[in-house]
Amino acid sequence: MTTALVTLALVVGAGFATWQAVRANAQAALAEQARTKAEDENKRARSNLLMALEAVDEFSTEIIEDYLSILPHSEQIEQAIRQKAIDFYEMFSAKNANDPKLRREMAEALRKLGLLKWGVNLDEAIVDLRRSVSLHRDLAAESPDSEQARYELASSESALGLVYWRTKRISEAKQILSDAIIGLEFLVQEFPDNLQYEWTLAEVENRLGHCCGHARQYADAKEWYDRSISRKVRLLPLLRQQPDKWSDYNYSDDVGYNYRSLAVTHRRRRDFEAAEMCYREALRWRRCALRQAPESRHFRHTLIDALTGYATLLQSRERNKRHEEIAQIYTEAFDIADPLIEEVPESPQLYQDYMRLLTEYAGFLHSDEDMERAGRLLERVEERARTFGNLLEQLTDESERPW
């Protein structure tokens, strides 16, 4: 009897243990399934979030740069789209600030947010870009061999330097842009076939030229502009071999911008012959860009700027000797500016440049004693000034102003 009881106890105990093991295994399997499901859901959510980030970036960039830039009366639409993108990036940054798996996306979102705020709130742009640089520096330090991490760090440093320059924090701008240049020079040396790295380097060199010019360090500014121009002109034939990746007209306008900046530097150094040569080059490149995209508001605006600068230079030096040439330059500028100002009546920057053009031309006519035409132009200046004043009154809220 005793033996039977012991045997029964052993059998029952073994069965109970087996049952517990089966139950534990089942619970572990359920837990594993739940964990796997949660991970899959997190991956899907993260993937959907990243796709949303990419979609917002592509949509806002393409709509603003490729469509609204040629659509008349679209300044308010552009501002609305820009604000929607800002709202999305701010929401993303707030909700994912502590997710270690999204640090790179956070850093990039903050960089894009800072650039979007360029024309809205420069102080907030600096805060966002500083956070972006800090995150990118941590990521680059953790993955020193990563091309992407190093390039994105340099891009964020360049963006912050641009906003520092815009807010006249020149010493900080020069330092952060110099850091970006060092990082990009290493990338160009290690990956010479990646044209994007070298073009970005040329862009940062141009920005450093702006900073030196602002600080009246004109010799240094000339050196950085020369470097940037030389690099871009050498790269352009290579870029044209990749039309699916590069928009030729955008890069032609960029070179024109460089030459225009160098022309201003030469003029401040009182090297007028060099300034004239650079203005001619700026006009050549900007006309080339406009021929390829004749409806672009931006390219028309930048050509007006170059024409006005060139006319002002000639007017200050050789008004009598080159009278006809100066008159032709002003005629070309007005042929572009008059229809453009009707297309974009709500652009303060365009109004400023248009008023400058009117005033400079009125001065030119006055010096020729063409008082009747000068008087008519000055009446246009007054009329446009009233229109511009009404525009400013409409933008009573500082946060709504696009500058």
Side-chain angles (χ1 to χ4, degrees):
M1 176 65 97
T2 301
T3 302
L5 290 173
V6 171
T7 301
L8 179 61
L10 290 172
V11 171
V12 171
F16 183 72
T18 301
W19 176 79
Q20 283 187 316
V22 170
R23 183 184 180 191
N25 289 336
Q27 290 176 336
L30 289 173
E32 179 63 20
Q33 289 177 1
R35 186 184 65 79
T36 302
K37 182 179 179 181
E39 287 183 355
D40 290 342
E41 289 177 352
N42 285 336
K43 287 179 181 178
R44 281 195 296 272
R46 191 170 284 112
S47 176
N48 290 337
L49 187 58
L50 296 182
M51 285 192 292
L53 274 173
E54 184 177 355
V56 169
D57 182 37
E58 290 182 359
F59 175 79
S60 58
T61 301
E62 290 179 7
I63 290 295
I64 290 173
E65 295 183 2
D66 298 338
Y67 180 63
L68 293 181
S69 65
I70 65 173
L71 185 67
H73 310 290
S74 61
E75 289 282 312
Q76 293 180 352
I77 301 173
E78 179 179 328
Q79 290 177 36
I81 292 175
R82 191 181 299 275
Q83 188 58 53
K84 289 293 184 183
I86 288 173
D87 293 343
F88 177 83
Y89 283 124
E90 286 185 333
M91 178 272 293
F92 175 86
S93 301
K95 289 189 174 181
N96 300 282
N98 299 316
D99 189 337
K101 295 182 179 180
L102 288 174
R103 285 192 302 158
R104 177 194 166 270
E105 288 74 16
M106 269 290 298
E108 280 296 279
L110 287 166
R111 179 178 67 84
K112 293 167 185 174
L113 183 58
L115 289 173
L116 283 167
K117 288 181 178 178
W118 162 269
V120 180
N121 189 316
L122 288 169
D123 290 335
E124 289 186 9
I126 288 175
V127 172
D128 293 328
L129 288 168
R130 279 177 171 171
R131 290 176 62 198
S132 175
V133 168
S134 178
L135 281 170
H136 274 308
R137 282 178 174 167
D138 290 342
L139 291 165
E142 293 168 11
S143 304
D145 296 328
S146 169
E147 283 183 66
Q148 183 183 53
R150 293 159 62 190
Y151 178 70
E152 289 174 348
L153 169 59
S155 297
S156 285
E157 289 172 335
S158 174
L160 179 56
L162 180 66
V163 180
Y164 276 151
W165 166 72
R166 181 67 177 79
T167 53
K168 300 180 181 180
R169 300 165 70 160
I170 302 303
S171 60
E172 292 170 282
K174 289 174 68 177
Q175 181 59 59
I176 198 77
L177 291 172
S178 297
D179 291 343
I181 285 174
I182 292 171
L184 287 165
E185 285 176 337
F186 278 115
L187 284 172
V188 170
Q189 184 177 0
E190 294 174 40
F191 308 99
D193 294 334
N194 191 318
L195 303 182
Q196 184 178 13
Y197 293 162
E198 190 164 6
W199 188 273
T200 303
L201 173 57
E203 286 287 281
V204 181
E205 289 170 336
N206 187 60
R207 291 174 183 180
L208 192 51
H210 291 340
C211 293
C212 293
H214 195 98
R216 300 185 178 182
Q217 298 166 342
Y218 298 129
D220 291 340
K222 176 185 178 300
E223 180 180 348
W224 286 113
Y225 287 140
D226 282 338
R227 284 192 195 184
S228 180
I229 290 171
S230 176
R231 200 181 296 278
K232 287 183 177 181
V233 171
R234 179 176 54 78
L235 284 172
L236 270 174
L238 302 175
L239 298 177
R240 291 188 177 117
Q241 297 174 19
Q242 303 179 3
D244 57 323
K245 295 183 179 179
W246 304 87
S247 298
D248 186 42
Y249 50 82
N250 281 316
Y251 296 96
S252 297
D253 186 70
D254 278 351
V255 176
Y257 177 61
N258 280 37
Y259 271 115
R260 184 261 186 198
S261 300
L262 183 55
V264 172
T265 299
H266 281 307
R267 185 175 180 181
R268 288 171 177 168
R269 299 179 74 194
R270 306 193 68 76
D271 187 347
F272 296 115
E273 289 185 4
E276 181 178 341
M277 184 277 291
C278 288
Y279 268 122
R280 285 182 175 275
E281 284 296 305
L283 290 173
R284 182 170 73 87
W285 285 98
R286 286 186 160 173
R287 284 169 177 150
C288 176
L290 189 58
R291 280 196 300 271
Q292 296 174 79
E295 299 301 320
S296 169
R297 292 201 318 261
H298 173 72
F299 293 162
R300 284 182 284 167
H301 191 172
T302 58
L303 180 54
I304 293 166
D305 172 70
L307 287 164
T308 306
Y310 185 41
T312 303
L313 175 69
L314 296 182
Q315 195 172 322
S316 66
R317 294 184 63 223
E318 300 181 298
R319 178 186 296 114
N320 296 328
K321 294 180 182 178
R322 302 171 72 172
H323 179 276
E324 290 302 320
E325 182 180 357
I326 297 170
Q328 288 176 2
I329 294 168
Y330 277 122
T331 299
E332 181 182 356
F334 278 112
D335 286 345
I336 301 169
D338 282 334
L340 183 60
I341 201 72
E342 298 301 326
E343 289 179 26
V344 197
E346 66 270 28
S347 171
Q349 184 59 55
L350 180 58
Y351 260 105
Q352 281 187 329
D353 291 344
Y354 187 73
M355 296 281 282
R356 176 190 169 207
L357 176 61
L358 285 170
T359 305
E360 294 284 354
Y361 190 38
F364 172 67
L365 293 173
H366 187 271
S367 67
D368 281 352
E369 299 184 356
D370 191 343
M371 300 303 183
E372 182 178 351
R373 291 178 66 193
R376 289 200 300 269
L377 270 179
L378 289 174
E379 288 177 2
R380 288 175 68 184
V381 170
E382 293 177 359
E383 178 187 351
R384 291 295 182 183
R386 287 192 295 271
T387 303
F388 187 60
N390 292 335
L391 172 64
L392 293 181
E393 288 178 5
Q394 294 171 15
L395 298 171
T396 54
D397 183 352
E398 186 74 22
S399 64
E400 295 179 2
R401 297 184 180 181
W403 60 86

